[in-house]
Amino acid sequence: MLKRLRAKHPIGFCVLSEVLFLGSLLLASYLIVFALVLFGVDLERVDSYFLSAVQEAVGMVVALVILGRTGKMYLLRRRGSGFFNGLLVGMYPLVLIGYSLYTKLMFGMPEDGQLQPAFSIFSFFLSMALVGVAEEFIFRGVIAQSLLERFGTGRAGVWKACLLSGLLFGAAHLTNLLSSAPFGVLMQCVFAASLGTLFAAIYFRTGNLWVTVFLHGAMDIASMLVGGLYGTEDVAESISGYDASMMLSILIYLIPTLFLLRKKKIGEVALYFGRDCAQAAAPAPEENGERLR
């Protein structure tokens, strides 16, 4: 059913995939809390990053199921330009990640802070890494890929796929309204939509999903490093603190997207995805008046 929906109604398929993914995260969080309460576990003592890691693992499985049911598991094995060459294409966010890590390590660490227990630190890194895996599988591997096959590898088609997948990525963060201040969540949605557009461009230019998985996970680790190591703030508190300056992310991420998708380089998208788009555009045998025997 998913494969047929993807072929006939790709935009509807993308929306449904996002709903299934987000629904699985929400359901997993409720089931985890219910199980802990059932077994008499004090929720105050449960590490929030560990719970998040379990939740993201569930989301990753859902994304894998969708990829498998639509015949797209090969995307996880596709080398494209190669991982390290792909990081060169994604050098701009990589530099931002490096700068963020430098400033936090040199100037952002609390002077009298005490490191979290080893398990909590491990849970933090695991959770942030799994966010990168799960969200890139669904938003680039499923959604951006489906939109590109719908719109084609021409310049207009690539831009439509990048922008629409970015908007869907931004909209997904509205679920944080359950735990964070509304204005902060709105600013996060703007930030995420811009970043999602850039990540889609990097994915299309490299043909390697693991490049954006790495960049996404590293960016999340860098942004929450102090809180993860010292427990000074959690993700919900960080989102609540976002202000109107986040609007600058539209320029910060869309300008390098313009550079990546410039006319001279747009042909590289067809190099990695041309066959996928051709197969998606080819009519089924029944549509050619043929019958399968």
Side-chain angles (χ1 to χ4, degrees), residues 60-130:
M60 180 185 68
V61 171
V62 170
L64 287 171
V65 169
I66 295 174
L67 286 169
R69 296 293 295 177
T70 54
K72 295 296 179 180
M73 286 292 286
Y74 68 88
L75 295 176
L76 304 184
R77 302 187 298 272
R78 175 181 277 171
R79 284 183 48 80
S81 65
F83 180 76
F84 293 105
N85 286 335
L87 288 182
L88 291 177
V89 175
M91 181 59 68
Y92 178 76
L94 197 61
V95 169
L96 292 181
I97 292 166
Y99 177 75
S100 178
L101 285 173
Y102 170 76
T103 56
K104 283 183 168 60
L105 290 172
M106 295 300 295
F107 311 109
M109 297 298 171
E111 294 183 2
D112 55 351
Q114 182 176 358
L115 282 172
Q116 294 279 81
F119 179 77
S120 296
I121 294 176
F122 169 77
S123 296
F124 162 70
F125 282 104
L126 178 63
S127 173
M128 296 296 101
L130 285 175

Side-chain angles (χ1 to χ4, degrees), residues 186-245:
L186 177 61
M187 291 300 99
Q188 187 196 28
C189 290
V190 172
F191 168 85
S194 305
L195 180 62
T197 301
L198 175 60
F199 276 171
I202 293 171
Y203 173 55
F204 293 154
R205 277 286 311 277
T206 63
N208 190 313
L209 189 58
W210 294 102
V211 172
T212 55
V213 166
F214 175 81
L215 292 173
H216 193 149
M219 185 169 285
D220 285 348
I221 288 172
S223 66
M224 290 300 302
L225 185 64
V226 178
L229 293 180
Y230 292 94
T232 52
E233 66 175 355
D234 58 21
V235 175
E237 292 170 341
S238 177
I239 294 170
S240 295
Y242 290 166
D243 56 30
S245 65

Side-chain angles (χ1 to χ4, degrees), residues 1-292:
M1 183 185 77
L2 285 176
K3 196 171 186 178
R4 186 162 57 249
L5 178 64
R6 186 181 190 275
K8 293 186 176 181
H9 305 285
I11 296 178
F13 165 78
C14 290
V15 173
L16 176 62
S17 297
E18 180 168 341
V19 170
L20 290 174
F21 176 77
L22 297 175
S24 70
L25 297 183
L26 190 61
L27 179 61
S29 67
Y30 286 139
L31 290 177
I32 293 169
V33 171
F34 176 76
L36 292 174
V37 172
L38 186 65
F39 286 98
V41 177
D42 183 2
L43 297 179
E44 296 281 336
R45 302 180 62 183
V46 177
D47 186 87
S48 62
Y49 284 114
F50 176 74
L51 296 181
S52 175
V54 175
Q55 187 181 16
E56 294 298 333
V58 171
M60 180 185 68
V61 171
V62 170
L64 287 171
V65 169
I66 295 174
L67 286 169
R69 296 293 295 177
T70 54
K72 295 296 179 180
M73 286 292 286
Y74 68 88
L75 295 176
L76 304 184
R77 302 187 298 272
R78 175 181 277 171
R79 284 183 48 80
S81 65
F83 180 76
F84 293 105
N85 286 335
L87 288 182
L88 291 177
V89 175
M91 181 59 68
Y92 178 76
L94 197 61
V95 169
L96 292 181
I97 292 166
Y99 177 75
S100 178
L101 285 173
Y102 170 76
T103 56
K104 283 183 168 60
L105 290 172
M106 295 300 295
F107 311 109
M109 297 298 171
E111 294 183 2
D112 55 351
Q114 182 176 358
L115 282 172
Q116 294 279 81
F119 179 77
S120 296
I121 294 176
F122 169 77
S123 296
F124 162 70
F125 282 104
L126 178 63
S127 173
M128 296 296 101
L130 285 175
V131 169
V133 174
E135 292 191 356
E136 289 307 306
F137 280 8
I138 196 73
F139 287 103
R140 257 54 72 182
V142 173
I143 292 176
Q145 175 82 22
S146 299
L147 292 172
L148 184 68
E149 292 178 18
R150 164 65 178 84
F151 296 123
T153 57
R155 195 175 190 189
V158 173
W159 269 104
K160 288 178 184 177
C162 286
L163 290 171
L164 185 52
S165 65
L167 287 173
L168 289 172
F169 183 57
H173 292 77
L174 288 171
T175 56
N176 289 324
L177 286 169
L178 296 173
S179 57
S180 300
F183 186 77
V185 173
L186 177 61
M187 291 300 99
Q188 187 196 28
C189 290
V190 172
F191 168 85
S194 305
L195 180 62
T197 301
L198 175 60
F199 276 171
I202 293 171
Y203 173 55
F204 293 154
R205 277 286 311 277
T206 63
N208 190 313
L209 189 58
W210 294 102
V211 172
T212 55
V213 166
F214 175 81
L215 292 173
H216 193 149
M219 185 169 285
D220 285 348
I221 288 172
S223 66
M224 290 300 302
L225 185 64
V226 178
L229 293 180
Y230 292 94
T232 52
E233 66 175 355
D234 58 21
V235 175
E237 292 170 341
S238 177
I239 294 170
S240 295
Y242 290 166
D243 56 30
S245 65
M246 300 297 288
M247 296 293 289
L248 289 173
S249 63
I250 297 175
L251 295 177
I252 291 173
Y253 294 124
L254 291 189
I255 289 176
T257 302
L258 284 167
F259 178 78
L260 287 174
L261 300 182
R262 62 195 186 277
K263 188 175 182 179
K264 183 179 178 180
K265 293 293 185 178
I266 201 74
E268 293 183 9
V269 179
L271 177 65
Y272 303 124
F273 297 96
R275 181 177 297 181
D276 295 338
C277 293
Q279 290 175 348
E286 292 83 355
E287 294 174 354
N288 283 327
E290 303 173 7
R291 290 189 178 273
L292 296 175

